[in-house]
């Protein structure tokens, strides 16, 4: 997240924030944030009225990319079209986490979370063969590594199905988030566009109502990507409903923890695949412990 005071750019006709993401072995990816035009929309605080501060949120950074640097520059344009360029700031997720490790104000749980997150990033680098010459853990000292969780976390497979209707097929994509891909086959729906997938927590609270993509009039697909790091052990349910609100599929009960347990049990899983899911669950547990310790 990038924040700057509105007063910095108020005297100019226009402004934009440029973020250049370094890509190992590839060309930088440049994103510009601004108000209107072809820029990615920039946020403002307060959301309505005269802004006091602007905010740009760069999302979609994958675990393997924690070492990639981001060069950020603020530009402003005056009434005559002259462009002014601010100082370029270069940082990375790794830099941020190392900063937390070196901060005397950081509580132990924060330092454990930072190291476990970096170890997750390194495991992802190895698994996806991404910039493995520069693992994000390579520069950690023995003292810093001592904050890491030392034991591999337990994982129980609690995946289950209930109810009647079409079978629900699941698949997992691990990117910047853990994405749960869901699909079912149900022919004869009067309004395919009205079919939705409802995600609830273990207590029945609705977490999301996802629109579906229809293929060939019979297959419905949806994607849920809002599992927070601290929620990896929480069971969620997913059910497909038609426009009338009638369930057309079974209900699945799923968690990231279950996915980790299933990966460990697969005979085809590689050592690197198992290492990255173990690191992911370890990181999730560390986030939960940090949030609890800090009262969040």
């Amino acid at each position: 997240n990038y924040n700057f005071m509105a007063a910095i750019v108020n005297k100019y006709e226009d402004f934009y924030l440029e973020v250049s993401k370094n890509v190992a072995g590839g060309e930088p990816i440049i994103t510009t944030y601004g108000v209107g035009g072809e820029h990615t929309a920039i946020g403002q605080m307060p959301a309505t009225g005269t802004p006091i501060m602007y905010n740009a949120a760069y999302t979609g950074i994958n675990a393997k990319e924690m070492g990639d640097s981001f060069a950020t520059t603020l530009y402003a344009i005056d009434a005559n079209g002259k462009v002014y360029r601010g100082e370029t700031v270069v940082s990375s997720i790794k830099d941020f986490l190392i900063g937390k490790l070196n901060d005397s104000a950081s509580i132990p749980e924060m330092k454990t979370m930072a190291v476990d997150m970096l170890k997750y990033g390194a495991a992802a680098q190895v698994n996806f063969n991404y910039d493995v010459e520069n693992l994000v853990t390579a520069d950690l000292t023995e003292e810093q590594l001592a904050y890491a969780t030392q034991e591999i976390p337990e994982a129980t497979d609690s995946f289950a199905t209930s109810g009647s209707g079409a079978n629900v097929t699941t698949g997992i994509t691990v990117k910047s988030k853990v994405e749960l891909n869901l699909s079912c086959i149900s022919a004869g729906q009067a309004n395919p566009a009205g079919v939705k997938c409802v995600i609830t927590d273990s207590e029945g609270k609705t977490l999301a109502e996802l629109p579906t993509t229809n293929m060939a009039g019979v297959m419905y697909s949806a994607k849920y990507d809002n599992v927070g790091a601290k929620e990896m052990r929480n069971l969620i349910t997913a059910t497909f409903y038609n426009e009338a609100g009638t369930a057309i599929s079974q209900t699945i009960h799923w968690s990231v923890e279950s996915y980790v347990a299933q990966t460990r049990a697969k005979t085809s899983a590689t050592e690197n695949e198992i290492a990255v899911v173990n690191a992911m669950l370890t990181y999730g547990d560390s986030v939960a412990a940090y949030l609890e310790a800090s009262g969040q």
Side-chain angles (χ1 to χ4, degrees):
N1 282 289
Y2 301 99
N3 302 294
F4 58 93
M5 302 303 294
I8 296 174
V9 294
N10 280 347
K11 67 179 181 179
Y12 298 97
E13 289 293 306
D14 196 10
F15 69 91
Y16 62 92
L17 186 74
E18 180 184 276
V19 180
S20 178
K21 178 182 180 296
N22 177 55
V23 177
E27 294 296 318
I29 298 172
I30 297 176
T31 306
T32 60
Y33 298 85
V35 179
E38 298 179 355
H39 304 304
T40 299
I42 198 167
Q44 68 176 53
M45 296 176 278
T48 58
T50 303
I52 298 174
M53 180 179 289
Y54 289 104
N55 168 265
Y58 194 105
T59 60
I61 304 170
N62 295 324
K64 68 180 182 180
E65 298 168 337
M66 291 183 196
D68 289 356
S69 62
F70 292 77
T72 308
T73 310
L74 180 62
Y75 292 87
I77 306 168
D78 69 14
N80 298 316
K82 183 176 180 180
V83 178
Y84 296 83
R85 182 180 187 275
E87 180 184 359
T88 297
V89 177
V90 181
S91 63
S92 66
I93 300 295
K94 174 187 173 181
D95 293 338
F96 174 80
L97 294 172
I98 294 294
K100 293 298 181 183
L101 275 171
N102 294 332
D103 188 347
S104 59
S106 293
I107 62 175
E109 289 82 0
M110 163 61 86
K111 295 186 177 185
T112 295
M113 181 182 71
V115 179
D116 285 348
M117 187 172 177
L118 287 169
K119 292 185 72 173
Y120 172 35
Q125 284 179 265
V126 173
N127 186 53
F128 296 108
N129 194 29
Y130 182 80
D131 199 21
V132 291
E133 297 81 10
N134 299 291
L135 295 180
V136 291
T137 52
D139 300 329
L140 295 180
T141 65
E142 289 187 10
E143 181 181 359
Q144 291 169 332
L145 285 170
Y147 281 102
T149 300
Q150 302 300 321
E151 298 179 356
I152 296 175
E154 295 182 1
T156 301
D157 183 6
S158 300
F159 180 86
T161 60
S162 60
S164 59
N167 292 329
V168 177
T169 301
T170 62
I172 303 299
T173 305
V174 181
K175 294 183 179 179
S176 56
K177 297 180 179 180
V178 179
E179 298 177 347
L180 174 60
N181 305 300
L182 302 145
S183 63
C184 76
I185 295 176
S186 180
Q189 296 301 321
N191 180 18
V195 173
K196 61 185 178 181
C197 181
V198 177
I199 309 295
T200 66
D201 63 17
S202 58
E203 297 178 351
K205 177 184 176 182
T206 299
L207 301 175
E209 294 188 2
L210 308 173
T212 61
T213 301
N214 179 247
M215 294 179 61
V218 294
M219 177 177 283
Y220 298 90
S221 301
K223 180 182 293 182
Y224 183 66
D225 65 355
N226 199 29
V227 180
K230 69 173 183 178
E231 300 161 345
M232 291 186 183
R233 294 187 183 274
N234 294 358
L235 276 173
I236 61 173
T237 68
T239 314
F240 287 83
Y241 291 87
N242 62 19
E243 185 180 32
T246 302
I248 63 173
S249 76
Q250 295 179 335
T251 296
I252 65 157
H253 306 259
W254 177 89
S255 67
V256 174
E257 177 187 4
S258 295
Y259 165 66
V260 173
Q262 290 170 355
T263 301
R264 291 175 179 175
K266 285 195 321 185
T267 56
S268 59
T270 66
E271 183 178 334
N272 289 341
E273 288 174 334
I274 293 173
V276 77
V277 297
N278 285 344
M280 178 176 65
L281 187 58
T282 300
Y283 156 58
D285 287 346
S286 295
V287 172
Y290 163 69
L291 293 175
E292 182 178 0
S294 59
Q296 298 183 49

